[in-house]
Amino acid sequence: MAGLAAAFGSGAMTNPIRDVLSAKSILLTGTNTTENHPIFANYVKEAIVKNGCKLIVVDPRKIDIVELAHIWLRPRPGNDVAWINGLLHVIIRENLHDEDYIQNRTTGFDELRACVEKYTPEYVSGITGIPPEDIVEAAVTYGGSKPSSILYAMGITQHTNGTNNVKSLANIAMLCGNVGVVGGGVNPLRGQNNVQGACDLGALPNVYTGYQQVANEDVRSKFAAAWGVDHLSSTPGLTVTEMFGGAERGTVHAIYVMGENPMVSDPDINHIRECIEALEFFVVQDIFMTETARLADVVLPVACFAEKDGTFTNSERKVQRIRKAVDPPGEAREDRFVIAGIARLMGFPLEYPDTRSIMQEIARVTPSYAGITYERIERDGITWPCTSEEHPGSPILHVGTFTRGKGVFTAIEYKDPAEVTDDEYPYILTTGRVLQHYHTGSMTRRGTGLNRLYPELLAELNPDDAGRLGIGDGEMITLSSRRGTITVKAKLTERSGPGVVFVPFHFSEAAINVLTNSALDPTSKIPEYKVCSIKVEKASM
Amino acid sequence: MEEVKLIIDGNNITVPGGSTVLEAARSAGIRIPTLCCHERLEPIGSCKMCFVQINGCAEPQQACKTRVQDTMQVTTDSEQLFSMRRESLRELLLRHPLDCPVCDKAGECLLQDLAYEFGVTDVHQHVNATFETFYPTSLIRYWPERCIVCKRCVTACAEIKQLGAIDIKGEGPTAQVYPAKPERCESCGECLQVCPTGALTENLSRYKTRPWLSKRVMTTCTYCGCGCQMQLNVMNNRVVGMTVPNVFGVNKGSLCVKGRFGYEFINSPERLKKPLIRKNGTLQETTWEEALGLVASQFSRIKKEYGRDSIAGISSARCTNEENYLFQKFMRAVIGTNNVDHCARL
Ligand code: SF4
Ligand code: SF4
């Protein structure tokens, strides 16, 4: 979450989930909360219905939570910087910004003010299609009902300008003094259960645990000493997308995958397959024979969450236990034994008596996890930063001062998405999840229960568009982009705005990521899943 | 909020103004039997179990719906109250079969516990209405003949989820739950969670267990970043169900459809059970020794031939913190590269 880290010094959710109950208004954007984070949605609903909190929803799709919204803005996909600049413009014009907070806690305000000068409601309306008066109302609601909490998810980040989108949201939160306060904050909702933990524990190319930079010499020598090695590399490594690029160019010869399925989840999967095929050696460690595992030279069977001990860190930075309930099937082993087994054969001991001792080592080398022990989280988790065994944890970040010192406003001009519609590809495709399934579907599609509720892939299409194309509900259609074609069943629904088609990505047999664009955000390297141009046709029988 | 002082069963009690008599009694550790009231829901007042006497009121009052007042004097237990509660319970049991031996809920059923406590042994079900069993989700089974129409389920769907997918239709002995707006149902199981009897049961697992036979293991949901707390119900080394204590974690008893019903994959016959290596173009079963040996020797060879940075590792947002730590330590300390990432960008 590079955008938040640049603005505040930390990329994590600033406030706990429950905190929305203290908010006077909520700005929810790029998150279909009721489907993707249903428990968070319960709190949002409680805040609105019981506490009279005002809800502003900004989403190109008419998602379910819109029915509780006081204001719903429907921009076209990929227009986020424009509408946010519009809100900033109105808040400043109406004098709803928090002068003291801006003065004492932030930098860069003057540049921001100059930049958003031209983003009048009328100008923004021209780009986004949102009526000017709605932009004013949303701005006045956000600026006038404090504290206000911002919730967002991949609808904001999965764009070529995703980092800018996030910085824009940080701008608006700081402008009104909403960061570091109860009921406020900028809160990215994590899609997968342990995204936060994977980042915290150093599964990133440029940092060790707790975001300690690999380029920093002191940090490097600390880790070298802790791990008993003479040398650690100081060059930041490759991101997932760059790894596959390296495979194609012949600079990466082997890839080791633990528990991921990029053959369904990554953009432009035909290309990914070619990259994998170019490798000399490809190892996949998983619980199922996924589409990715099928391409491997070695497949290693492992335990699932119910078959091992450990911890997950949730979206709100809370470290919580998981516990072994059953044995893994057949000869499957816990991932830690597999990693240690390979390491031993390569002459390096990585064995630990139990997961508790791994956490003890993590605490020793990671300041933000220093006070976290299994004993302390036996009943209830602890929220990092937790710097000592006496430290109670830190549910709210940036209280009094930002992690990086002063909060940074960034002046950002609106840019069109990487791929815009044209005569040949006139529709916008946007992808996401549905309630009943999870990620690449390898878990949720293997039981009877959830599949019974949502058995097949449906492409959501606006009824007016369908009418024009002569497509009926339930008919098969083909969707084509510059990269590929898939055939799916159409579902006609007002949830999709005119000109927009939504398709979930859980279904490997009709993997939507055949169509999506692998153009990346230059900073976060997140692919542009949310917007690509397609054409829609009735399938020929 | 200002405080209110009152006397319950001779004890002086101070509680915040606006509390109910039931809340005040509970805060002092005084138990009033209840059936429909639930800590996550607004008072419902359908079961008529919580009657108390209040000085100055001719008739006993429902403790769940009566707000405290200064100097109020409350009696929670008396012969009269006991027989009123017993009568309420008999009413409920009139339409509830004593099919406890075949009910999933037996052993943790509030109705069963109260019938035992009040010694109600002489009720024979005599409601013979025909009920509809439709329910808005196929993951939950509705047993109308066991339903005591306490309205917990309907209240949970309306209050916690703001959905109103179910409601009550009919009056008195023929009343029942029905799918009022089935298209709104999210299959979250909030209704199932709060049902005090066996009228709503999970309609998923072929393998059933009785509460006293299974082991319950507290853990964290494996799906989204909310990090809900849940208990896996285990019998014979198999996960056969899910229970959720009302007090833990961010979810406090709630789960979504994935968390509550998405555990079948654990026992899937498609789980990988043996290491595989590619021989002559196809993946074939092998031993751990051979598989790990091949990985280690290939990594060593490639590292030697093309350098440390020619190997890359993709870790997982699905794996634990400890595993992610080990994985990056392996890539950095053993392989010697910072080429480690995960798919969080997705
Ligand atoms: S499963 Fe959830 S949405 Fe459906 S009826 Fe029950 S509480 Fe309502
Ligand atoms: S139960 Fe649902 S909301 Fe809770 S963590 Fe699991 S997937 Fe997320």
Side-chain angles (χ1 to χ4, degrees), chain A residues 240-320:
Chain A
V240 168
T241 324
E242 289 165 348
M243 290 175 193
F244 288 116
E248 192 180 31
R249 282 193 309 277
T251 51
V252 170
H253 295 263
I255 295 184
Y256 176 17
V257 176
M258 171 171 84
E260 289 284 2
N261 191 10
M263 274 298 293
V264 178
S265 64
D266 274 34
D268 198 356
I269 60 184
N270 287 334
H271 175 235
I272 300 272
R273 177 196 310 273
E274 287 161 19
C275 298
I276 292 175
E277 281 164 358
L279 288 169
E280 259 176 64
F281 191 58
F282 186 48
V283 184
V284 175
Q285 191 161 306
D286 210 308
I287 61 175
F288 287 114
M289 182 55 86
T290 60
E291 294 67 26
T292 306
R294 275 180 223 294
L295 303 177
D297 296 300
V298 179
V299 179
L300 302 168
V302 288
C304 78
F305 86 114
E307 297 151 355
K308 60 195 178 189
D309 288 314
T311 56
F312 289 150
T313 303
N314 78 354
S315 257
E316 41 177 18
R317 292 173 283 110
K318 192 167 175 184
V319 183
Q320 308 189 107

Side-chain angles (χ1 to χ4, degrees), chain B residues 135-137 140 153 156-158 161 163-166 184-192 200 261:
Chain B
Y135 208 66
T137 168
I140 296 171
C153 55
C157 188
K161 302 299 298 183
L163 290 171
I166 46 175
R184 289 176 65 86
C185 176
E186 293 178 359
S187 303
C188 64
E190 209 74 64
C191 49
L192 171 70
L200 295 177
F261 301 107

Side-chain angles (χ1 to χ4, degrees), chain B residues 91-134:
Chain B
E91 284 288 319
L92 295 176
L93 285 166
L94 272 179
R95 57 166 292 167
H96 188 93
L98 297 180
D99 65 346
C100 309
V102 295
C103 177
D104 288 7
K105 195 78 174 188
E108 54 182 353
C109 169
L110 213 45
L111 187 64
Q112 194 184 42
D113 294 348
L114 287 169
Y116 183 78
E117 178 183 344
F118 283 81
V120 185
T121 51
D122 53 344
V123 183
H124 296 286
Q125 182 194 18
H126 65 229
V127 173
N128 270 326
T130 37
F131 293 112
E132 286 164 17
T133 57
F134 300 129

Side-chain angles (χ1 to χ4, degrees), chain B residues 25-70:
Chain B
R26 284 188 174 161
S27 76
I30 298 166
R31 171 173 175 265
I32 299 171
T34 58
L35 192 50
C36 66
C37 111
H38 189 278
E39 63 256 49
R40 301 196 56 219
L41 306 173
E42 294 292 319
I44 301 171
S46 66
C47 73
K48 312 267 187 311
M49 289 296 293
C50 66
F51 282 122
V52 293
Q53 267 143 348
I54 295 175
N55 269 20
C57 298
E59 297 290 321
Q61 305 290 313
Q62 282 179 276
C64 69
K65 294 213 146 171
T66 310
R67 305 271 163 204
V68 291
Q69 278 170 15
D70 243 340

Side-chain angles (χ1 to χ4, degrees), chain B residues 19 38 68 81 90 130 134 138 190 198 202 291 301 312 331:
Chain B
S19 306
H38 189 278
V68 291
L81 291 175
R90 289 175 59 94
T130 37
F134 300 129
S138 64
E190 209 74 64
E202 184 209 82
R301 177 187 65 78
M331 293 307 296

